[in-house]
Structure formats: structure tokens, C-alpha cells
Amino acid sequence: MTDDVSRNERIKEASDYLRGTLAEGLREEVTGAIVEDDQQLVKFHGMYLQDDRDLRPERSRKKMEKAFAFMIRVRVPGGVLTPAQWLALDEVARDYGNGTMKLTTRQTVQLHGIIKSNLKATMKKIDAAVLDSIAACGDVNRNVMCNPNPHLSRAHAETLAMARKISDDLLPRTPAYREIWLDGEKIAGGEDEVVEPIYGKTYLPRKFKIVMAVPPSNDVDIFAHDLGFIAIVDEAGAVAGYNVTVGGGMGMTHGETDTYPRTAEVMGYCGPSDVLAVAEAVVTVQRDWGDRLNRKHARLKYTIEDRGLEAFKAEVEKRAGVLLQPAKPFAFTSTGDSYGWSAGDNGRSHLTLYVQNGRLFPPQMTALRKLAQEHDGDLRITPNQHLIVANIPAERQNAVHWAMKEAGLLAPWSGLRRNSMACVALPTCGLALAESERYLPDLITALDDKLAAYALLADDIVIRMTGCPNGCARPYLAEIGLVGKGPGRYNLYLGAAFDGSRLSKLYAEDLDHAGIVAALEPIFKAYAADRQKGERFGNFAIRAGFVAATGNGRDFHNNVRLAKVAAA
Ligand code: HEM
Ligand code: SF4
């Protein structure tokens, strides 16, 4: 491979299908880390090397190595776990992790704080629970998301089954995962087409994310993802086919206007039997057309901005051998979860819990462990970092309700808190510029004070925070988005649509806590006074002129009103 590719491309190429020197690195006892190239490769196995950033100053004073540990992200297509799988993850988190679990915005579980010497034991436990972490991170198709709401019954079941099929179809085939983590036998390399028929030796130019939505819920945030399928349900309640969306993505870099979040566009419609061929074709076109020189320009959203949707669609149709039909009508109402009880079949019910920022601390883990030990339904992680306990028989509903209430897992009153999400950020995420999940709850308390003054406390308003502009909690699709800029400083974005279909706009920069509250209070006041019937906060922010409503993709940064605010 020539010099004109990014460093990651060379690492992949030389890795012998994601092996690198990981096996040797795990045996190396003088450091808790692994070498740099392997740090890139280990992501494809579902792990990040991290260090506890809270401990950096002290360890540096003592001339000690950073407090290295790994984060493992499990792959859970559609977010559905059996009670036995839940118990296995809970045990791993307590025995080898930092004693907490993070339910993520992409329907998986992250376990933090696993030191190198415990990695293999952890991976074996995960394997024994019939779970894995392959392709949970890295330049491949990641966890496939799907509406986890069990009472959507038939359409839901069909869509979930399809999500699992897509997930299986696009899994890396390299035997490296079994070899390295599960002491599998070393299988000699072969030709690209044999080892990785879809990805080839260098996999994709960048991460790739697929979701499936069942309207009217857009809980998966379909427009934030590279590839999406919107189920179109027929009169009998079965899935007739899917609208196909392409080219969504969140990440950007502060100050670099050629990087931007983008909402996906609807490309057409296909029948259920064409879904796999279309998904594979989208992936391989991006494999071949995506930018391998500049990783900041390598997501599918940039390929589509540069080549145009029509050219991309034509190539996908050619490779899939499928002519996409015109998209069918659909309507989304919200990106949120419906908390509380809902009815299932045969007298059983489902309970959607509220897990603040997806973080389960020991008391909540204990309550859920007890629940899982007696539960014969399943546990479903929502795309909003929450958890549905599905199929609870009538005789257990009372006990479950009170146990969950006592553990603080029922939804709060505050409309802002009910609709909040935060990424991990400090202390584990090496990319964080500011706090996120450790700070957002306090900010909401302060904002709720102001909202209460305008009788808006119970109103559903979507707020999301991330510690950096990569956008792991999809802040650019929140009605109030806060993106870390530096320690204690955030950029404030406003104006996204409640149903997840429109990005927000930058409203103010570099705000500290007092600055955020001061910037939002007058907007809350105006909203309470001037909103039209049923008008959402994001829509109001635009109509009332707080932010401009221009465009998608590269137009994201084109906010005429910010200039006026700054000049005023
Ligand atoms: C350039 C872009 C991105 C980079 C480099 C990146 C990197 C990371 C890293 C290092 C973590 C681990 C943090 C920790 O657990 O300590 C993380 C977490 C996570 N990321 Fe990203 N990320 C990016 C964009 C995104 C986007 C756009 C999404 C979703 C649409 C996403 C979804 C997640 C999720 C679900 C987590 C787990 C924690 C949570 O639920 O917030 N990431 N990311
Ligand atoms: S948004 Fe940034 S700070 Fe937050 S988890 Fe993602 S990479 Fe880390």
C-alpha cells in the first residue's frame, strides 16, 4: 500500500486480519497497556484501551504509568438480553470491571476498568453467556439497533429478526477473535475473498452504523446513522417492506467546518427479501468509495455529500441487483422511550425503567440482579440508555414495581430529565474535553428550577450532552444540545426536531454552568409565553428566531443568527 493512505489503513493491512501483535501484547507483564498499532486493532474486537484520567496527576507525580484499563463493549443486536446473559454481564462488571455497567445510546452494554491481565477471563465469561464483542467498535458494521419495544408485537418481532440477520451477515469472519481471546486454534490466513468476503483486508474506511426503526417511534435515531431501515407495516400488522435511509452521522471537530453532523436521507424502498442484498451493497460501495486518506472525511455521510445521493443509489442498485422503489409514507413522533407499564400477551406486562445516563451503580445492579434471578422474560436495552423488563407475569408485577421504585429506576417527573442522555466522557474516555454523564444530572437540577418557574417542569424537552464533538450521545439531534469544548465549557446547540428529523444549530459558545443557565432561561420564558398549541421546544427556538433553520450536512455551520448574537 502506498504512502497516501491514513495510518490506520496501514495498520489494518499489516494486521493479518486484525491479529497484529495482540496475543503477544496480552502476555507482556511490564505494562498495563498494549502497543499503539494494537490499540487500533483491539477496537475491532470491541475494546478500547483507556486510563483513569482522574488519577493522571497523582500517578504522574509518583512517576507511575497511567492507570490503564480496558473498556469492553458487548454486541447486542436489538438490545435484547436473556436474564442469564444479564447476570453474566453483571458478574463480569463486579468481578473484573469497576462495579458499574453503562447501558449505551446504541443499545449495548459497556464495561469499564478491566485490567489487561483480566481481559481473557472476561472475554471467556462473555463467550460462555453466548455473547461477544466482535465489531462492537472499529472500522466495521457495529451493533445493529432496533426498536426494542415488545408490545409492537408482530412488526417488531419481524424487524428484530431482520436486525439480527443483518448483524450476522456483516460480522467480520476473521478467526482472530477466537484465537486471541478464546484460545481458539490458529487458522492460517487465506485469500481476501475467503477470509473476509465482504470487507477484504482493510475493512471499511471508518465505523459503520445500521439501525431499524418501527414508526411511529424513532427511538433508534435513524437519521443519525449510516444506514437505516424504516419498517412499513401492512394492514395485518406485518412488515411489508422497508424505506432505506443512508448518510447520517454525528461526529465533527470543533473549528473544522469541513466536518459536520448530517441527517440521513431516504433513498428508496425495498421488500424484506432484498434487505440483506441492499445492506451489503451499501457497505461495499462505501468500502470502495469511502475516503481512506483522511479519517475525518471517511464516513458514508461525506461519500454521499461528495458523490450525490443519485450516483450512490445507482451503484447500490447495480451491486445489489435490486431496483429500489419510491419511498413509502411514514411518520415519526418522537425519539424517546415510553416509561412505565405497558400490556403484553397472556396477562404479562412490560416495564420500561429509567436509568439516568445509562449508568447502573451497585444498588441498582443489585436490584436488577435479584430481578433477573427470578425473571423468565427478557431484558431489553433501549436506544436511550434505558432498560425494558419484558414479559413480567401478573403475579410478579407488584413486587417488581416496588423493587424498581426503591432502586430509583422509575422515571422522574422532570420532562427534561426524562428526555436526557449523556455520553461517558470523564474519567475514562480519552477524547473527552469536558465532563458529561457526571455533570448533566446537576445541570438538569439547575435548569429544572428555571423551568418550574415557567410551569414547564413536566414538558418533554430533549437534552443531550457529550464531552466532545464526536457526538456519542447524538447531541446535534437534541432540542438542547451541549457539546464539551474544554474543562467546564460547552457549546450550546438549539432547534433540533423532537422526532429526530432535523439537526440543531450552534447558538452560543464556550458557556460555563452559569452561562448555560443564563442562556436558556430567557428562551424558556419566551417558550412559556409565546408557544403555539403543541409546539415543541426545538421548533419554537427556530420560529422565535433564536437559531436559523438552514440546511443539513455542510450547511450545519451556516448559522446566520449566531453571527448576529455574537455581534450584538
Ligand atoms: C469520531 C467519532 C467518534 C469517536 C472517535 C468515538 C469514540 C468513543 C469512545 C472512545 C468511547 C468510549 C468512552 C468510554 O466508554 O469511556 C465512545 C463511547 C460511545 N460512543 Fe462513540 N465515538 C464517536 C462517535 C460516536 C457516535 C456518532 C455515536 C452514536 C451515534 C457513538 C456512540 C457511542 C456510544 C453508544 C458509546 C458508549 C457510551 C454512551 O452510551 O454514551 N459514538 N465513543
Ligand atoms: S462524545 Fe466524546 S467524550 Fe463523549 S464518549 Fe464520545 S468520544 Fe468520549
Short mmCIF file of all heavy atoms in Angstrom, two decimals, residues 43 48-50 71 73 102-108 110-112 142 145 206-207 209 221 224-225 249-252 295 299 301 357-359 385 421-431 437 465-466 468-476, ligand 1:
data_model
loop_
_atom_site.label_atom_id
_atom_site.label_comp_id
_atom_site.label_asym_id
_atom_site.label_seq_id
_atom_site.Cartn_x
_atom_site.Cartn_y
_atom_site.Cartn_z
N LYS A 43 -9.91 -2.35 18.89
CA LYS A 43 -11.27 -1.79 18.77
C LYS A 43 -12.17 -2.74 17.97
O LYS A 43 -13.35 -2.90 18.30
CB LYS A 43 -11.22 -0.43 18.07
CG LYS A 43 -10.49 0.63 18.89
CD LYS A 43 -10.46 1.95 18.15
CE LYS A 43 -9.56 2.93 18.88
NZ LYS A 43 -9.36 4.18 18.13
N TYR A 48 -11.53 -0.72 23.94
CA TYR A 48 -10.70 0.48 23.88
C TYR A 48 -9.71 0.40 25.02
O TYR A 48 -10.10 0.06 26.14
CB TYR A 48 -11.56 1.72 24.12
CG TYR A 48 -11.98 2.45 22.88
CD1 TYR A 48 -13.06 2.00 22.12
CD2 TYR A 48 -11.34 3.63 22.48
CE1 TYR A 48 -13.47 2.70 20.99
CE2 TYR A 48 -11.75 4.33 21.36
CZ TYR A 48 -12.81 3.86 20.62
OH TYR A 48 -13.23 4.56 19.51
N LEU A 49 -8.45 0.75 24.76
CA LEU A 49 -7.52 0.95 25.87
C LEU A 49 -7.77 2.36 26.40
O LEU A 49 -7.80 3.32 25.64
CB LEU A 49 -6.07 0.83 25.39
CG LEU A 49 -5.05 1.18 26.49
CD1 LEU A 49 -5.07 0.16 27.63
CD2 LEU A 49 -3.64 1.28 25.91
N GLN A 50 -7.98 2.46 27.72
CA GLN A 50 -8.24 3.76 28.32
C GLN A 50 -7.37 3.90 29.57
O GLN A 50 -6.68 2.97 29.96
CB GLN A 50 -9.71 3.85 28.74
CG GLN A 50 -10.68 3.51 27.62
CD GLN A 50 -12.13 3.75 27.99
OE1 GLN A 50 -12.55 3.35 29.06
NE2 GLN A 50 -12.87 4.41 27.12
N MET A 71 -11.99 -0.82 28.21
CA MET A 71 -13.45 -0.78 28.15
C MET A 71 -13.85 -1.87 27.16
O MET A 71 -13.28 -1.95 26.07
CB MET A 71 -13.92 0.59 27.66
CG MET A 71 -15.40 0.72 27.47
SD MET A 71 -15.98 0.16 25.86
CE MET A 71 -15.68 1.60 24.85
N ARG A 73 -17.06 -3.33 25.02
CA ARG A 73 -18.44 -3.06 24.57
C ARG A 73 -18.98 -4.35 23.98
O ARG A 73 -18.42 -4.89 23.03
CB ARG A 73 -18.40 -1.96 23.53
CG ARG A 73 -19.76 -1.49 23.08
CD ARG A 73 -19.63 -0.44 21.98
NE ARG A 73 -19.10 0.83 22.45
CZ ARG A 73 -18.56 1.76 21.63
NH1 ARG A 73 -18.48 1.54 20.35
NH2 ARG A 73 -18.10 2.89 22.12
N LYS A 102 -22.62 0.39 32.00
CA LYS A 102 -23.19 1.53 31.24
C LYS A 102 -24.03 0.99 30.11
O LYS A 102 -23.52 0.30 29.20
CB LYS A 102 -22.05 2.39 30.69
CG LYS A 102 -22.50 3.47 29.70
CD LYS A 102 -22.67 4.84 30.32
CE LYS A 102 -22.98 5.90 29.25
NZ LYS A 102 -23.30 7.21 29.78
N LEU A 103 -25.33 1.27 30.16
CA LEU A 103 -26.19 0.96 29.02
C LEU A 103 -25.98 2.08 28.02
O LEU A 103 -26.00 3.25 28.39
CB LEU A 103 -27.67 0.92 29.44
CG LEU A 103 -27.99 0.05 30.66
CD1 LEU A 103 -29.49 0.05 30.91
CD2 LEU A 103 -27.50 -1.38 30.46
N THR A 104 -25.75 1.76 26.77
CA THR A 104 -25.30 2.80 25.85
C THR A 104 -26.40 3.30 24.92
O THR A 104 -27.46 2.67 24.78
CB THR A 104 -24.12 2.33 24.98
OG1 THR A 104 -24.63 1.57 23.88
CG2 THR A 104 -23.12 1.51 25.76
N THR A 105 -26.08 4.41 24.26
CA THR A 105 -27.02 5.02 23.31
C THR A 105 -27.17 4.18 22.05
O THR A 105 -27.96 4.51 21.19
CB THR A 105 -26.54 6.42 22.91
OG1 THR A 105 -25.25 6.31 22.30
CG2 THR A 105 -26.44 7.34 24.10
N ARG A 106 -26.33 3.13 21.92
CA ARG A 106 -26.50 2.24 20.77
C ARG A 106 -26.87 0.83 21.24
O ARG A 106 -26.43 -0.16 20.67
CB ARG A 106 -25.30 2.25 19.83
CG ARG A 106 -25.10 3.63 19.16
CD ARG A 106 -24.29 3.59 17.87
NE ARG A 106 -25.07 3.10 16.75
CZ ARG A 106 -24.98 1.88 16.23
NH1 ARG A 106 -24.14 1.00 16.75
NH2 ARG A 106 -25.72 1.53 15.22
N GLN A 107 -27.62 0.77 22.33
CA GLN A 107 -28.24 -0.49 22.77
C GLN A 107 -27.25 -1.59 23.13
O GLN A 107 -27.53 -2.77 22.88
CB GLN A 107 -29.16 -1.03 21.67
CG GLN A 107 -30.53 -0.42 21.69
CD GLN A 107 -31.46 -1.07 20.68
OE1 GLN A 107 -31.11 -1.21 19.53
NE2 GLN A 107 -32.65 -1.47 21.12
N THR A 108 -26.11 -1.22 23.66
CA THR A 108 -25.22 -2.26 24.14
C THR A 108 -24.91 -1.99 25.60
O THR A 108 -25.44 -1.07 26.20
CB THR A 108 -23.90 -2.29 23.35
OG1 THR A 108 -23.17 -1.11 23.63
CG2 THR A 108 -24.14 -2.39 21.87
N GLN A 110 -21.56 -1.35 28.09
CA GLN A 110 -20.12 -1.14 28.20
C GLN A 110 -19.68 -1.46 29.61
O GLN A 110 -20.32 -1.08 30.58
CB GLN A 110 -19.76 0.32 27.88
CG GLN A 110 -19.66 0.56 26.40
CD GLN A 110 -19.08 1.91 26.02
OE1 GLN A 110 -19.20 2.29 24.87
NE2 GLN A 110 -18.48 2.64 26.95
N LEU A 111 -18.55 -2.17 29.68
CA LEU A 111 -17.94 -2.48 30.97
C LEU A 111 -16.61 -1.75 31.01
O LEU A 111 -15.80 -1.86 30.09
CB LEU A 111 -17.73 -3.99 31.09
CG LEU A 111 -19.00 -4.82 30.87
CD1 LEU A 111 -18.67 -6.29 30.68
CD2 LEU A 111 -19.95 -4.64 32.06
N HIS A 112 -16.39 -0.99 32.06
CA HIS A 112 -15.18 -0.17 32.16
C HIS A 112 -14.23 -0.72 33.21
O HIS A 112 -14.64 -1.43 34.12
CB HIS A 112 -15.55 1.27 32.53
CG HIS A 112 -16.25 2.02 31.44
ND1 HIS A 112 -17.62 2.14 31.39
CD2 HIS A 112 -15.78 2.66 30.35
CE1 HIS A 112 -17.95 2.84 30.32
NE2 HIS A 112 -16.86 3.16 29.67
N ARG A 142 -21.10 -1.88 13.15
CA ARG A 142 -21.20 -2.03 14.60
C ARG A 142 -22.53 -2.66 14.98
O ARG A 142 -23.27 -3.15 14.13
CB ARG A 142 -21.11 -0.64 15.24
CG ARG A 142 -19.90 0.19 14.78
CD ARG A 142 -18.74 -0.02 15.69
NE ARG A 142 -17.62 0.85 15.42
CZ ARG A 142 -17.34 1.97 16.09
NH1 ARG A 142 -18.17 2.42 17.01
NH2 ARG A 142 -16.25 2.64 15.84
N MET A 145 -29.00 -1.70 15.63
CA MET A 145 -30.04 -1.31 16.59
C MET A 145 -31.43 -1.53 16.02
O MET A 145 -31.64 -1.52 14.81
CB MET A 145 -29.89 0.18 16.93
CG MET A 145 -28.64 0.50 17.68
SD MET A 145 -28.34 2.28 17.72
CE MET A 145 -29.68 2.85 18.74
N ARG A 206 -14.02 3.57 7.78
CA ARG A 206 -14.38 4.14 9.07
C ARG A 206 -15.50 3.30 9.65
O ARG A 206 -16.03 2.42 8.98
CB ARG A 206 -14.87 5.57 8.79
CG ARG A 206 -14.63 6.66 9.76
CD ARG A 206 -13.31 6.88 10.34
NE ARG A 206 -13.46 7.95 11.32
CZ ARG A 206 -13.93 7.79 12.55
NH1 ARG A 206 -14.20 6.60 13.01
NH2 ARG A 206 -14.08 8.83 13.35
N LYS A 207 -15.90 3.60 10.89
CA LYS A 207 -17.02 2.89 11.52
C LYS A 207 -18.27 2.95 10.64
O LYS A 207 -18.44 3.86 9.82
CB LYS A 207 -17.33 3.52 12.87
CG LYS A 207 -17.84 4.93 12.74
CD LYS A 207 -18.32 5.48 14.07
CE LYS A 207 -17.27 6.26 14.78
NZ LYS A 207 -17.73 6.99 15.95
N LYS A 209 -22.66 2.28 10.93
CA LYS A 209 -23.72 2.04 11.91
C LYS A 209 -25.07 1.84 11.23
O LYS A 209 -25.49 2.68 10.44
CB LYS A 209 -23.80 3.21 12.90
CG LYS A 209 -22.49 3.36 13.68
CD LYS A 209 -22.54 4.54 14.63
CE LYS A 209 -21.25 4.59 15.43
NZ LYS A 209 -21.19 5.76 16.30
N ASP A 221 -33.10 6.81 16.56
CA ASP A 221 -32.49 7.99 15.93
C ASP A 221 -31.97 7.62 14.54
O ASP A 221 -30.78 7.75 14.23
CB ASP A 221 -31.34 8.54 16.77
CG ASP A 221 -31.70 9.86 17.44
OD1 ASP A 221 -32.46 10.63 16.82
OD2 ASP A 221 -31.22 10.10 18.56
N ALA A 224 -29.43 9.59 12.41
CA ALA A 224 -28.06 9.77 12.88
C ALA A 224 -27.14 8.69 12.34
O ALA A 224 -25.95 8.69 12.65
CB ALA A 224 -28.03 9.75 14.40
N HIS A 225 -27.67 7.76 11.54
CA HIS A 225 -26.89 6.57 11.23
C HIS A 225 -26.57 6.40 9.75
O HIS A 225 -27.28 6.90 8.88
CB HIS A 225 -27.64 5.34 11.78
CG HIS A 225 -27.59 5.30 13.28
ND1 HIS A 225 -28.56 5.89 14.07
CD2 HIS A 225 -26.67 4.80 14.12
CE1 HIS A 225 -28.23 5.72 15.34
NE2 HIS A 225 -27.10 5.06 15.41
N GLY A 249 -24.80 10.80 10.30
CA GLY A 249 -23.63 10.65 11.16
C GLY A 249 -23.50 11.87 12.03
O GLY A 249 -23.95 12.94 11.65
N MET A 250 -22.88 11.72 13.20
CA MET A 250 -22.85 12.82 14.16
C MET A 250 -21.51 13.53 14.27
O MET A 250 -21.44 14.72 14.44
CB MET A 250 -23.22 12.30 15.56
CG MET A 250 -24.67 11.89 15.72
SD MET A 250 -25.80 13.29 15.88
CE MET A 250 -26.48 13.38 14.26
N GLY A 251 -20.42 12.79 14.20
CA GLY A 251 -19.12 13.33 14.63
C GLY A 251 -18.66 14.53 13.82
O GLY A 251 -18.91 14.64 12.62
N MET A 252 -17.99 15.47 14.51
CA MET A 252 -17.33 16.59 13.84
C MET A 252 -16.19 17.04 14.73
O MET A 252 -16.00 16.51 15.83
CB MET A 252 -18.31 17.73 13.59
CG MET A 252 -18.92 18.30 14.86
SD MET A 252 -19.69 19.88 14.57
CE MET A 252 -19.08 20.80 15.97
N ARG A 295 -9.26 10.31 7.71
CA ARG A 295 -10.27 9.65 8.55
C ARG A 295 -11.38 10.61 8.99
O ARG A 295 -12.47 10.19 9.35
CB ARG A 295 -9.63 9.00 9.79
CG ARG A 295 -8.90 7.73 9.42
CD ARG A 295 -8.28 7.04 10.63
NE ARG A 295 -9.23 6.45 11.55
CZ ARG A 295 -9.90 5.31 11.36
NH1 ARG A 295 -9.73 4.64 10.23
NH2 ARG A 295 -10.71 4.83 12.28
N ARG A 299 -16.47 8.88 6.74
CA ARG A 299 -17.79 8.26 6.95
C ARG A 299 -18.62 8.34 5.67
O ARG A 299 -18.41 9.19 4.81
CB ARG A 299 -18.55 8.99 8.08
CG ARG A 299 -18.00 8.80 9.49
CD ARG A 299 -18.28 7.44 10.08
NE ARG A 299 -19.70 7.14 10.31
CZ ARG A 299 -20.38 7.48 11.40
NH1 ARG A 299 -19.81 8.15 12.37
NH2 ARG A 299 -21.66 7.13 11.52
N LYS A 301 -21.42 9.58 5.24
CA LYS A 301 -22.09 10.89 5.04
C LYS A 301 -21.28 11.76 4.09
O LYS A 301 -21.85 12.50 3.28
CB LYS A 301 -22.33 11.60 6.38
CG LYS A 301 -21.09 11.95 7.17
CD LYS A 301 -21.45 12.61 8.51
CE LYS A 301 -20.19 12.80 9.34
NZ LYS A 301 -20.46 13.36 10.66
N ASN A 357 -28.66 8.41 32.41
CA ASN A 357 -27.49 8.35 31.54
C ASN A 357 -26.98 6.92 31.31
O ASN A 357 -25.81 6.71 30.97
CB ASN A 357 -26.34 9.22 32.07
CG ASN A 357 -26.75 10.67 32.16
OD1 ASN A 357 -27.51 11.16 31.31
ND2 ASN A 357 -26.30 11.36 33.18
N GLY A 358 -27.84 5.95 31.55
CA GLY A 358 -27.47 4.56 31.28
C GLY A 358 -26.52 3.95 32.30
O GLY A 358 -26.10 2.81 32.16
N ARG A 359 -26.19 4.71 33.35
CA ARG A 359 -25.19 4.20 34.29
C ARG A 359 -25.87 3.49 35.44
O ARG A 359 -26.67 4.08 36.16
CB ARG A 359 -24.34 5.36 34.82
CG ARG A 359 -23.24 4.93 35.78
CD ARG A 359 -22.14 4.11 35.13
NE ARG A 359 -21.35 4.90 34.19
CZ ARG A 359 -20.31 4.43 33.52
NH1 ARG A 359 -19.91 3.17 33.67
NH2 ARG A 359 -19.66 5.21 32.67
N GLN A 385 -30.56 4.56 26.37
CA GLN A 385 -29.77 4.14 27.55
C GLN A 385 -30.65 3.65 28.70
O GLN A 385 -30.23 3.69 29.85
CB GLN A 385 -28.88 5.28 28.07
CG GLN A 385 -27.97 5.91 27.04
CD GLN A 385 -27.26 7.14 27.58
OE1 GLN A 385 -27.88 8.02 28.16
NE2 GLN A 385 -25.96 7.22 27.37
N MET A 421 -29.83 12.49 27.79
CA MET A 421 -28.81 11.46 27.57
C MET A 421 -27.44 12.13 27.69
O MET A 421 -27.28 13.27 27.26
CB MET A 421 -28.88 10.87 26.16
CG MET A 421 -30.06 9.98 25.90
SD MET A 421 -29.70 8.74 24.63
CE MET A 421 -29.56 9.71 23.15
N ALA A 422 -26.48 11.38 28.23
CA ALA A 422 -25.11 11.88 28.26
C ALA A 422 -24.16 10.76 27.91
O ALA A 422 -24.39 9.61 28.27
CB ALA A 422 -24.78 12.42 29.65
N CYS A 423 -23.10 11.10 27.23
CA CYS A 423 -22.06 10.11 26.92
C CYS A 423 -21.20 9.91 28.17
O CYS A 423 -21.36 10.60 29.16
CB CYS A 423 -21.21 10.58 25.75
SG CYS A 423 -20.05 11.87 26.23
N VAL A 424 -20.25 8.99 28.07
CA VAL A 424 -19.40 8.65 29.22
C VAL A 424 -18.48 9.82 29.60
O VAL A 424 -18.46 10.27 30.73
CB VAL A 424 -18.53 7.43 28.88
CG1 VAL A 424 -17.68 7.06 30.07
CG2 VAL A 424 -19.37 6.27 28.39
N ALA A 425 -17.69 10.26 28.65
CA ALA A 425 -16.68 11.32 28.88
C ALA A 425 -15.73 10.96 30.04
O ALA A 425 -15.27 9.83 30.11
CB ALA A 425 -17.34 12.66 29.05
N LEU A 426 -15.49 11.91 30.95
CA LEU A 426 -14.51 11.67 32.02
C LEU A 426 -15.08 10.72 33.06
O LEU A 426 -16.27 10.74 33.28
CB LEU A 426 -14.14 13.00 32.68
CG LEU A 426 -13.36 13.93 31.73
CD1 LEU A 426 -13.37 15.36 32.25
CD2 LEU A 426 -11.93 13.42 31.56
N PRO A 427 -14.26 9.88 33.67
CA PRO A 427 -12.81 9.86 33.60
C PRO A 427 -12.22 8.88 32.58
O PRO A 427 -11.01 8.85 32.43
CB PRO A 427 -12.42 9.39 35.01
CG PRO A 427 -13.51 8.41 35.37
CD PRO A 427 -14.76 8.96 34.72
N THR A 428 -13.05 8.09 31.90
CA THR A 428 -12.44 7.03 31.09
C THR A 428 -12.16 7.43 29.65
O THR A 428 -11.18 6.97 29.06
CB THR A 428 -13.33 5.75 31.07
OG1 THR A 428 -14.64 6.10 30.64
CG2 THR A 428 -13.37 5.09 32.42
N CYS A 429 -13.00 8.24 29.04
CA CYS A 429 -12.86 8.48 27.61
C CYS A 429 -11.68 9.42 27.33
O CYS A 429 -11.64 10.55 27.80
CB CYS A 429 -14.13 9.09 27.03
SG CYS A 429 -13.94 9.38 25.27
N GLY A 430 -10.74 8.92 26.56
CA GLY A 430 -9.53 9.68 26.26
C GLY A 430 -9.79 10.89 25.40
O GLY A 430 -8.93 11.76 25.27
N LEU A 431 -10.96 10.98 24.78
CA LEU A 431 -11.24 12.08 23.86
C LEU A 431 -12.01 13.22 24.53
O LEU A 431 -12.20 14.28 23.94
CB LEU A 431 -12.04 11.55 22.67
CG LEU A 431 -11.34 10.40 21.92
CD1 LEU A 431 -12.31 9.66 21.02
CD2 LEU A 431 -10.17 10.93 21.13
N GLU A 437 -21.52 12.63 31.64
CA GLU A 437 -22.53 11.95 32.48
C GLU A 437 -22.39 12.32 33.95
O GLU A 437 -23.37 12.23 34.70
CB GLU A 437 -22.51 10.43 32.28
CG GLU A 437 -21.33 9.71 32.88
CD GLU A 437 -21.52 8.19 32.96
OE1 GLU A 437 -21.55 7.56 31.91
OE2 GLU A 437 -21.62 7.67 34.07
N MET A 465 -26.00 15.68 26.19
CA MET A 465 -24.67 16.27 26.41
C MET A 465 -23.58 15.29 26.02
O MET A 465 -23.70 14.09 26.27
CB MET A 465 -24.53 16.63 27.90
CG MET A 465 -23.15 17.15 28.27
SD MET A 465 -23.08 17.60 30.02
CE MET A 465 -23.78 19.24 29.96
N THR A 466 -22.52 15.81 25.41
CA THR A 466 -21.34 14.98 25.18
C THR A 466 -20.10 15.76 25.62
O THR A 466 -20.10 16.99 25.64
CB THR A 466 -21.16 14.60 23.70
OG1 THR A 466 -21.11 15.78 22.90
CG2 THR A 466 -22.29 13.71 23.22
N CYS A 468 -17.29 15.85 24.08
CA CYS A 468 -16.50 16.32 22.93
C CYS A 468 -17.40 16.28 21.70
O CYS A 468 -18.49 15.73 21.73
CB CYS A 468 -15.24 15.47 22.75
SG CYS A 468 -15.48 14.00 21.75
N PRO A 469 -16.94 16.85 20.58
CA PRO A 469 -17.83 16.95 19.42
C PRO A 469 -18.06 15.64 18.65
O PRO A 469 -18.81 15.64 17.68
CB PRO A 469 -17.12 17.98 18.52
CG PRO A 469 -15.72 18.00 18.94
CD PRO A 469 -15.69 17.61 20.38
N ASN A 470 -17.46 14.53 19.09
CA ASN A 470 -17.70 13.27 18.38
C ASN A 470 -19.16 12.85 18.40
O ASN A 470 -19.63 12.14 17.53
CB ASN A 470 -16.84 12.15 18.96
CG ASN A 470 -15.40 12.28 18.54
OD1 ASN A 470 -15.10 12.90 17.52
ND2 ASN A 470 -14.50 11.72 19.33
N GLY A 471 -19.87 13.26 19.43
CA GLY A 471 -21.32 13.14 19.39
C GLY A 471 -21.90 11.79 19.78
O GLY A 471 -22.96 11.41 19.29
N CYS A 472 -21.25 11.07 20.70
CA CYS A 472 -21.72 9.73 21.05
C CYS A 472 -23.15 9.70 21.59
O CYS A 472 -23.84 8.69 21.48
CB CYS A 472 -20.78 9.07 22.05
SG CYS A 472 -19.11 8.91 21.37
N ALA A 473 -23.62 10.77 22.21
CA ALA A 473 -25.00 10.80 22.70
C ALA A 473 -25.91 11.59 21.75
O ALA A 473 -26.98 12.04 22.15
CB ALA A 473 -25.08 11.36 24.12
N ARG A 474 -25.46 11.74 20.49
CA ARG A 474 -26.25 12.38 19.44
C ARG A 474 -26.79 13.77 19.83
O ARG A 474 -27.97 14.07 19.69
CB ARG A 474 -27.40 11.45 19.02
CG ARG A 474 -26.92 10.06 18.63
CD ARG A 474 -28.00 9.18 18.05
NE ARG A 474 -28.92 8.62 19.00
CZ ARG A 474 -28.78 7.46 19.64
NH1 ARG A 474 -27.72 6.71 19.39
NH2 ARG A 474 -29.70 7.02 20.46
N PRO A 475 -25.90 14.64 20.32
CA PRO A 475 -26.35 15.95 20.83
C PRO A 475 -26.91 16.87 19.74
O PRO A 475 -27.71 17.74 20.04
CB PRO A 475 -25.07 16.56 21.43
CG PRO A 475 -23.96 15.94 20.65
CD PRO A 475 -24.43 14.53 20.36
N TYR A 476 -26.49 16.66 18.49
CA TYR A 476 -26.94 17.57 17.43
C TYR A 476 -28.37 17.24 16.99
O TYR A 476 -28.92 17.90 16.12
CB TYR A 476 -25.99 17.51 16.22
CG TYR A 476 -24.54 17.56 16.64
CD1 TYR A 476 -23.73 16.43 16.56
CD2 TYR A 476 -23.99 18.73 17.16
CE1 TYR A 476 -22.41 16.46 16.97
CE2 TYR A 476 -22.67 18.77 17.58
CZ TYR A 476 -21.88 17.63 17.49
OH TYR A 476 -20.58 17.66 17.91
C1 HEM B 1 -15.46 10.40 15.58
C2 HEM B 1 -16.42 9.91 16.22
C3 HEM B 1 -16.36 9.09 17.49
C4 HEM B 1 -15.32 8.61 18.24
C5 HEM B 1 -13.84 8.74 17.97
C6 HEM B 1 -15.90 7.90 19.36
C7 HEM B 1 -15.18 7.31 20.38
C8 HEM B 1 -15.75 6.81 21.52
C9 HEM B 1 -15.05 6.38 22.67
C10 HEM B 1 -13.55 6.43 22.87
C11 HEM B 1 -15.96 5.94 23.56
C12 HEM B 1 -15.68 5.31 24.90
C13 HEM B 1 -15.96 6.21 26.02
C14 HEM B 1 -15.89 5.45 27.31
O1 HEM B 1 -16.62 4.49 27.46
O2 HEM B 1 -15.09 5.81 28.19
C15 HEM B 1 -17.24 6.08 22.96
C16 HEM B 1 -18.42 5.74 23.55
C17 HEM B 1 -19.61 5.63 22.86
N1 HEM B 1 -19.85 6.05 21.59
FE1 HEM B 1 -18.57 7.00 20.44
N2 HEM B 1 -17.26 7.94 19.26
C18 HEM B 1 -17.59 8.66 18.14
C19 HEM B 1 -18.86 8.95 17.69
C20 HEM B 1 -20.00 8.28 18.11
C21 HEM B 1 -21.32 8.47 17.59
C22 HEM B 1 -21.68 9.43 16.48
C23 HEM B 1 -22.14 7.61 18.27
C24 HEM B 1 -23.63 7.35 18.14
C25 HEM B 1 -24.41 7.71 17.18
C26 HEM B 1 -21.33 6.92 19.22
C27 HEM B 1 -21.79 6.00 20.12
C28 HEM B 1 -21.13 5.71 21.26
C29 HEM B 1 -21.73 5.02 22.35
C30 HEM B 1 -23.13 4.44 22.37
C31 HEM B 1 -20.78 4.99 23.35
C32 HEM B 1 -20.99 4.40 24.73
C33 HEM B 1 -21.34 5.35 25.75
C34 HEM B 1 -22.63 6.06 25.61
O3 HEM B 1 -23.71 5.47 25.57
O4 HEM B 1 -22.55 7.30 25.54
N3 HEM B 1 -20.04 7.35 19.11
N4 HEM B 1 -17.10 6.62 21.71
#
